[in-house]
């Protein structure tokens, strides 16, 4: 656990914020940072494609991952969500890989660390005590870091680091989630020897073109969901990472209870209590999209309401709010799917107030 620190302010990302931001509300910060996502994502993709230092670092990590054993992605909160897209891509292409909660791994998993080939630690701040301890505990293992703070404790402990390049973030994880997810996908692609730039650029274009359209309809989306006793967000593969991130965003910013599920996990349990008080956000994307559509129809038959995010055209009804996204290559839907919950969250906090105030300095980091 870190103690209180005195002296100079510990600004988020190591950068003092513009004075006008210090009086901004949580809702204003959320919208601003959501709208910064497309530019930050495009800039990051260009850097990873062309910057010699980044290309060299990716080459080093590809060689480290060549050793026998699974590739592990370790993070917590939004960072854990970002890691799921990278591990999903590796799994889909025959490489053993897992996204794991870093706190659980620290206390229960390190005795098996020798079995892994490469462990990628993901932390936006680079100051989370669990990740700091993992770097110290894993000094004899092949480790890599994905981080947004290049002067942080974790960055200084890591020999192999990839920057998130999202800039300082003062509210809920938005652009850091987006860019960290992209970094995990790019790293996984490099490990597999797969081309990624065209898919990445297309996903960034879809993300950019979809943001304004989806955010423009946020009031109608919020009105559709307003009667819910709770909201459950359901996805598979990379979109499961987005489902966890979506629930975190809704809960942190609005205080409204939201919970994530895989499609199979929802079907074998929570699906049984669906009724007219229930709203599900279902990501029907990727090669299992039809399973998501099937689940949406079942929720509707039980009386529940569904926000259906898909690549197809579906007729709106009293119980179905369809949102269409252009298709992107798997696992980039882990990024594009998040626009709908972000828009919903913004509309919720605009109507009822924001629960999470902006944060401009790092506080005490503790387990």
């Amino acid at each position: 656990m870190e103690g209180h620190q005195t002296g100079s302010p510990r600004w988020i990302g190591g950068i003092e914020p513009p004075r006008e931001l210090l009086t901004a509300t949580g809702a204003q910060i959320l919208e601003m940072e959501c709208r910064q996502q497309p530019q930050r994502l495009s800039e990051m993709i260009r850097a990873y494609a062309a910057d010699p230092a980044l290309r060299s670092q990716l080459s080093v990590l590809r060689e480290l991952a060549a050793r026998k054993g699974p590739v592990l992605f370790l993070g917590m909160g939004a960072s854990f969500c970002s890691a799921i897209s990278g591990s999903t891509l590796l799994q889909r292409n025959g490489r053993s890989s897992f996204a794991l909660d870093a706190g659980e791994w620290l206390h229960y998993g390190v005795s098996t660390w020798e079995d892994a080939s490469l462990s990628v630690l993901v932390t936006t701040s680079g100051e989370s005590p669990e990740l700091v301890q993992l770097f110290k505990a894993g000094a004899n293992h092949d480790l890599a870091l994905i981080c947004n703070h290049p002067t942080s404790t974790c960055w200084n402990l890591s020999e192999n680091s990839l920057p998130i390049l999202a800039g300082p973030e003062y509210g809920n994880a938005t652009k850091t989630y987006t860019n960290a997810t992209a970094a995990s996908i790019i790293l996984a692609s490099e490990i597999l020897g797969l081309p990624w730039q065209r898919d990445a650029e297309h996903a960034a274009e879809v993300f950019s073109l979809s943001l304004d359209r989806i955010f423009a309809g946020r009031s109608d989306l919020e009105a559709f969901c307003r009667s819910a006793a709770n909201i459950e967000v359901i996805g598979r593969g990379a979109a499961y990472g987005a489902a966890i991130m979506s629930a975190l965003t809704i809960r942190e910013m609005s205080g409204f209870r939201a919970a994530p599920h895989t499609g199979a996990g929802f079907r074998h349990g929570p699906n049984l209590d669906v009724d007219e008080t229930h709203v599900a956000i279902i990501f029907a994307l990727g090669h299992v999209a039809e399973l998501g559509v099937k689940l949406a129809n079942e929720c509707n038959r039980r009386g529940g309401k569904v926000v259906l995010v898909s690549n197809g055209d579906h007729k709106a009804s009293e119980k179905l709010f369809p949102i269409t996204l252009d298709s992107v290559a798997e696992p980039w839907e882990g990024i594009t799917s998040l626009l709908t919950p972000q828009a919903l969250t913004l509309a919720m906090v605009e109507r009822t107030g924001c629960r999470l105030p902006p944060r401009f300095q790092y506080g005490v980091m503790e387990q």
Side-chain angles (χ1 to χ4, degrees):
M1 183 175 83
E2 294 181 4
H4 291 277
Q5 296 190 19
T6 59
S8 301
R10 300 175 64 230
W11 299 115
I12 297 292
I15 301 172
E16 183 174 357
R19 181 168 298 179
E20 60 269 20
L21 282 184
L22 298 177
T23 57
T25 66
Q28 289 170 334
I29 291 290
L30 175 62
E31 180 167 14
M32 178 194 74
E33 294 186 333
C34 283
R35 294 189 182 279
Q36 289 175 345
Q37 291 174 113
Q39 179 180 348
R40 296 293 189 182
L41 177 59
S42 294
E43 291 171 349
M44 180 256 192
I45 290 169
R46 288 196 295 270
Y48 273 62
D51 182 87
L54 283 172
R55 298 302 309 157
S56 176
Q57 183 66 89
L58 288 166
S59 179
V60 168
L61 295 177
R62 182 169 59 249
E63 292 179 7
L64 291 177
R67 189 167 69 88
K68 185 178 179 181
V71 175
L72 305 182
F73 289 84
L74 304 169
M76 298 178 299
S79 296
F80 168 72
C81 301
S82 300
I84 290 175
S85 290
S87 64
T88 297
L89 179 59
L90 289 168
Q91 291 167 1
R92 283 279 287 158
N93 285 274
R95 180 64 194 270
S96 179
S97 180
F98 305 96
L100 302 166
D101 181 281
E104 292 295 287
W105 185 256
L106 174 64
H107 296 294
Y108 300 102
V110 292
S111 62
T112 67
W113 218 342
E114 285 290 343
D115 296 336
S117 63
L118 174 67
S119 298
V120 184
L121 281 63
V122 189
T123 166
T124 294
S125 69
E127 300 293 350
S128 300
E130 291 87 348
L131 277 296
V132 172
Q133 289 302 313
L134 281 175
F135 267 109
K136 294 176 180 178
N140 295 323
H141 302 286
D142 289 331
L143 306 181
L145 173 69
I146 295 175
C147 182
N148 199 47
H149 189 353
T151 60
S152 63
T153 303
C154 284
W155 193 281
N156 291 331
L157 289 171
S158 176
E159 295 182 5
N160 304 290
S161 302
L162 295 172
I164 293 174
L165 301 177
E169 185 174 66
Y170 305 119
N172 178 257
T174 51
K175 54 189 179 174
T176 54
Y177 165 82
T178 298
N179 277 24
T181 300
S184 75
I185 295 170
I186 292 169
L187 174 56
S189 300
E190 293 281 345
I191 290 171
L192 293 165
L194 296 176
W196 56 264
Q197 188 172 351
R198 181 177 297 179
D199 288 343
E201 290 172 349
H202 176 65
E205 181 181 14
V206 169
F207 189 74
S208 179
L209 293 174
S210 301
L211 190 151
D212 285 340
R213 171 176 58 83
I214 293 174
F215 272 55
R218 65 183 183 271
S219 294
D220 290 340
L221 176 61
E222 188 275 331
F224 179 85
C225 297
R226 194 178 302 171
S227 61
N230 62 291
I231 295 174
E232 291 176 298
V233 195
I234 302 157
R236 294 173 185 257
Y240 176 53
I244 305 173
M245 187 66 242
S246 300
L248 287 172
T249 298
I250 293 169
R251 294 184 76 149
E252 289 181 358
M253 299 302 287
S254 73
F256 191 85
R257 294 294 173 87
H261 306 272
T262 64
F266 183 81
R267 176 170 293 286
H268 296 282
N271 184 41
L272 298 175
D273 69 8
V274 172
D275 59 21
E276 64 278 0
T277 70
H278 187 271
V279 171
I281 301 174
I282 298 178
F283 300 138
L285 301 166
H287 73 284
V288 293
E290 287 305 312
L291 292 174
V293 175
K294 179 182 177 182
L295 186 59
N297 291 334
E298 186 170 337
C299 286
N300 281 170
R301 286 196 301 271
R302 291 174 177 267
K305 299 170 75 173
V306 175
V307 178
L308 180 62
V309 181
S310 74
N311 304 138
D313 293 323
H314 299 274
K315 186 177 180 180
S317 71
E318 182 183 355
K319 295 187 180 299
L320 185 70
F321 193 108
I323 294 180
T324 303
L325 287 173
D326 288 344
S327 62
V328 296
E330 291 185 324
W332 291 94
E333 71 270 17
I335 291 174
T336 58
S337 57
L338 197 66
L339 288 172
T340 295
Q342 285 182 346
L344 172 61
T345 303
L346 179 58
M348 292 173 76
V349 300
E350 287 173 333
R351 190 176 76 85
T352 63
C354 186
R355 183 173 182 267
L356 184 69
R359 183 182 67 153
F360 301 100
Q361 297 185 42
Y362 295 116
V364 176
M365 298 283 189
E366 59 183 355
Q367 292 191 46

